Amino acid sequence: MVALINVESSLPRPLWALVRHLAGQPRKRQRLNDAEAVLSPPSLIPEGDKQRTFDRAVRTAEEFGLVERVEEILVLSSEAQSIDAEDLEAFYDLLRRRVLSRVDDHVLATDPSQIQGKDLLRSLCWFLTLDSQLTQVTAGTFGIEQHKVLAEDLGNPLRNKERWNGFTYWAPALGFADTPLLQTGIARALVPDCTRAVRRTVRQHWQPGTRFGAREFIDTLLEALPVLPGGRFSQALDLKPSPLEVAASLSFALLRGREEGWLTLTAPSDATAGVQFSDPRAPGGVGRFTHVEIGADGDV
């Protein structure tokens, strides 16, 4: 696989268009030429390269195991077939699992090549070390923010503005970034907000009403989302650890979960253990919780 945040790879939305289209076909399959005619009609991109957009989507979908090509017939994979054609978030869940399972932590930290999505993984690991409440990154600032965060042989996670542009599509789609509530300047900005990835992971692992210890909760999230600070990808890249047990970006997602009602974080006065996280409302800006209860919401 070529680098994901590269002009030779597809963006997430064309992948979704391909999967959704095949999901509506008899036996979840269609001839390649027919799929191209539907997804890349002449009017779709009058001034653009619609042929390359379609080809990149097919190639990237094949590499992710979303589709198979059998004698010029595109066939939706069994796992992709399980996704409702109207459920974009479920598709992004599958895409996130595929991205996070392409390589192991040792390869990510020692192989300087960008293939197999290592470019996107390293970029996410760096991006999520930033504070969601303090940092907005744009095309004009990403170079400064990422300077020398990784070992010299790996280089900067994002090499140029073309890769930053790809990152602005992939990071939000996978649930690790969002646009700021208040934009500053004219350049498109992103903040490191992993709330969607965390919330979807919570829903996949636990039912509403489940209650358990804080350490188990955090460890499960870091195992499922290893690009978060403290996760195995971030640790392998030797990124600067958070002074607290839960980094600022993950703390922000926990605060969102608490306020939106899908997480209850508690710390009884007689409890001796617990996990510290960044909480602006707590004394000194440091909160603590010992137990988590999964709440219900209508959004997931």
Side-chain angles (χ1 to χ4, degrees):
M1 175 185 285
V2 297
L4 272 178
I5 43 178
N6 182 288
V7 294
E8 296 304 317
S9 288
S10 177
L11 296 173
R13 282 286 182 166
L15 291 175
W16 169 237
L18 177 63
V19 168
R20 183 178 180 180
H21 173 70
L22 291 177
Q25 303 307 305
R27 300 174 63 193
K28 315 294 184 185
R29 61 180 61 198
Q30 190 175 46
R31 290 191 177 279
L32 180 65
N33 290 341
D34 293 337
E36 181 182 349
V38 173
L39 295 172
S40 296
S43 60
L44 181 63
I45 314 176
E47 304 299 328
D49 191 346
K50 57 184 180 297
Q51 174 68 40
R52 291 192 66 195
T53 298
F54 177 77
D55 289 344
R56 286 193 293 262
V58 171
R59 184 172 61 250
T60 306
E62 287 183 283
E63 292 172 340
F64 273 130
L66 303 175
V67 302
E68 298 176 4
R69 191 185 318 210
V70 182
E71 297 180 353
E72 296 308 296
I73 295 176
L74 296 179
V75 182
L76 203 58
S77 71
S78 58
E79 191 168 7
Q81 287 184 33
S82 67
I83 297 174
D84 189 300
E86 302 302 319
D87 195 345
L88 176 60
E89 284 301 312
F91 172 72
Y92 283 159
D93 289 342
L94 174 57
L95 207 55
R96 184 169 54 251
R97 292 194 297 271
R98 288 285 195 264
V99 169
L100 296 179
S101 62
R102 294 293 294 174
V103 298
D104 62 30
D105 52 332
H106 175 74
V107 171
L108 185 68
T110 59
D111 179 0
S113 73
Q114 304 294 314
I115 61 172
Q116 294 182 295
K118 292 194 291 293
D119 58 335
L120 178 56
L121 291 175
R122 292 182 187 125
S123 299
L124 287 170
C125 286
W126 152 71
F127 188 67
L128 291 165
T129 62
L130 305 176
D131 191 327
S132 306
Q133 301 184 71
L134 299 176
T135 309
Q136 295 184 16
V137 185
T138 71
T141 64
F142 77 87
I144 297 173
E145 294 284 356
Q146 68 172 351
H147 185 58
K148 292 187 176 181
V149 296
L150 298 182
E152 185 175 349
D153 60 328
L154 295 178
N156 289 333
L158 295 166
R159 304 294 177 87
N160 49 52
K161 287 189 176 181
E162 285 72 24
R163 294 202 173 186
W164 165 255
N165 183 57
F167 185 77
T168 64
Y169 289 93
W170 276 98
L174 300 183
F176 294 115
D178 207 342
T179 54
L181 183 61
L182 297 175
Q183 288 272 20
T184 58
I186 60 175
R188 182 186 181 188
L190 285 184
V191 293
D193 184 353
C194 59
T195 301
R196 278 183 41 243
V198 170
R199 184 177 61 184
R200 298 291 294 188
T201 301
V202 165
R203 285 289 175 258
Q204 291 159 13
H205 280 81
W206 301 289
Q207 293 295 318
T210 305
R211 188 174 187 273
F212 46 93
R215 187 72 266 167
E216 177 188 350
F217 175 67
I218 296 300
D219 287 346
T220 301
L221 289 180
L222 295 181
E223 179 62 28
L225 306 171
V227 291
L228 292 176
R232 64 183 183 278
F233 287 168
S234 186
Q235 289 184 326
L237 293 174
D238 200 26
L239 289 168
K240 184 178 179 180
S242 168
L244 303 178
E245 294 170 273
V246 179
S249 56
L250 179 52
S251 295
F252 183 72
L254 300 185
L255 293 173
R256 286 273 307 271
R258 186 174 67 183
E259 294 193 4
E260 294 169 5
W262 46 275
L263 289 179
T264 299
L265 311 177
T266 57
S269 57
D270 59 346
T272 57
V275 169
Q276 290 184 325
F277 71 116
S278 178
D279 182 357
R281 297 182 182 178
V286 178
R288 185 178 70 92
F289 64 103
T290 60
H291 292 83
V292 178
E293 183 171 338
I294 307 302
D297 63 44
D299 297 329
V300 182

